[in-house]
Amino acid sequence: MTTDAHVLVIGSGGREHALAWKLAQSPQVAKVSVAPGNAGTPNAVPIAATDMDGLLAWALANNPDLTIVGPESALALGIVDRFEAAGLRIYGPTQKAAQLETSKVFAKQFMARHAIPTAPFEIFAEPREALRYLLSVGDSRLAIKADGLAAGKGVYMTDCADDAERAVRALMIERVAGEAGARIVIEQALDGYELSILAFCDGTFASLMPPAQDHKRIDDGDRGPNTGGMGAYASFALTPALPIQSAIESIIGQTLAGLAQDDILFSGVLFTGFMITADGPQVLEYNCRFGDPETQAILPLLDDDLYAVLRDGKLPRWRQNATSAAVVMASGGYPGDFKAGLPITGLDRVPADVTVFHAGTRRDADQIVTAGGRVLAVTGVGDSLRAALDRAYSGVTAIHFDGAHYRTDIGAKGLAT
């Protein structure tokens, strides 16, 4: 067994900090490098996650034992294909497999083709056709989604015709999400509760992680625009009743089998967003990597060596009776315009039983300052959701930067059940 492994993590957010944090605990890992990283990650490699040539050149020169891809942008550009062609070991799906996330149109057509339960939908490439369709459905509750990657902000949930029209115009005419909105998916909104299921996959077999629930809206009470995620909690206590759990496992198995039928081998983390409805689980979306901020909540529950799980396919052990909660502290104005370069204080006053994962941060001389929309994810673990949240919020209240915004109701729905 090697005890001097070098691991490269690609990305700069809270997810990547959490991955680096957990990998550094492995007795097999001597060094973790992060490209480009942030103020909390070790051994920064100043190469952007979308710089395929730069990352490949660095990896060929430094020969990491394993590379782990954080952001979907790198997967979309085919980094796994590039590294594997060069004989480098990398964890994540190929560009072809990553279409499950990089194209909502691909994903919905895939689900329809393989009878995977999902909301009824229509696809549009022309704004006039989309607007004409809205006239036919009136004030229906809809989910209107950009086809391409939009950093978690390309989805509009609408309750009336006016809101739906504004969403279509924003995506297809104003192009607020750029080329990601050149095509859109309009689907019926589903009633129920959301559940995020992440799984380690080898193309055939899926090993499920603890269920998680994300909080996408910027404000308390699930109000305001969607973000990349304002917090999450994770626990096996979220595992639904056996018939629903069995249906979830069946759908994930169906997904891997459907990909194989389409001549696509999916190796990496498959993230399936479910809506648990009265008719059973329905797939809202697929992601093809560790979620953010779900990873910051899930990895503290991993009672095992992450390096061995990712490199060698070891079946992971989890803390079965623990719950983890992560609260995101964001810049004022996010997900719109926000100021950067604001000093962050109080990190040294965070309680010892709280873990702070950096996201949009950088070092300015001897000061850590803000450098993004989502700045920190503050995580607590406890024997109940209440205990985990109390720990996380004790960390949040110790930290300060001008305009800091966070939700005060992360996990509230879980506490109410």
Side-chain angles (χ1 to χ4, degrees), residues 243-319:
I244 295 174
Q245 178 67 12
S246 297
I248 285 172
E249 292 172 0
S250 175
I251 289 167
I252 292 171
Q254 242 181 300
T255 300
L256 294 178
L259 288 166
Q261 288 174 28
D262 292 347
D263 197 28
I264 298 173
L265 177 73
F266 190 98
S267 178
V269 170
L270 178 65
F271 175 144
T272 309
F274 286 98
M275 182 70 81
I276 310 302
T277 74
D279 297 322
Q282 304 270 324
V283 175
L284 293 173
E285 65 174 357
Y286 293 110
N287 293 330
C288 295
R289 36 72 191 180
F290 286 95
D292 188 341
E294 290 89 351
T295 302
Q296 296 92 300
I298 290 172
L299 285 185
L301 299 179
L302 179 61
D303 193 21
D304 218 328
D305 182 341
L306 180 62
Y307 179 75
V309 171
L310 299 183
R311 189 183 188 280
D312 304 323
K314 182 181 187 298
L315 285 175
R317 294 167 300 162
W318 299 94
R319 298 174 62 179

Side-chain angles (χ1 to χ4, degrees), residues 155 157 216-227 335 407:
V155 177
M157 304 302 298
K216 283 290 185 190
R217 299 292 187 99
I218 186 67
D219 292 322
D220 286 4
D222 290 329
R223 294 189 298 270
N226 273 337
T227 70
R407 284 183 56 162

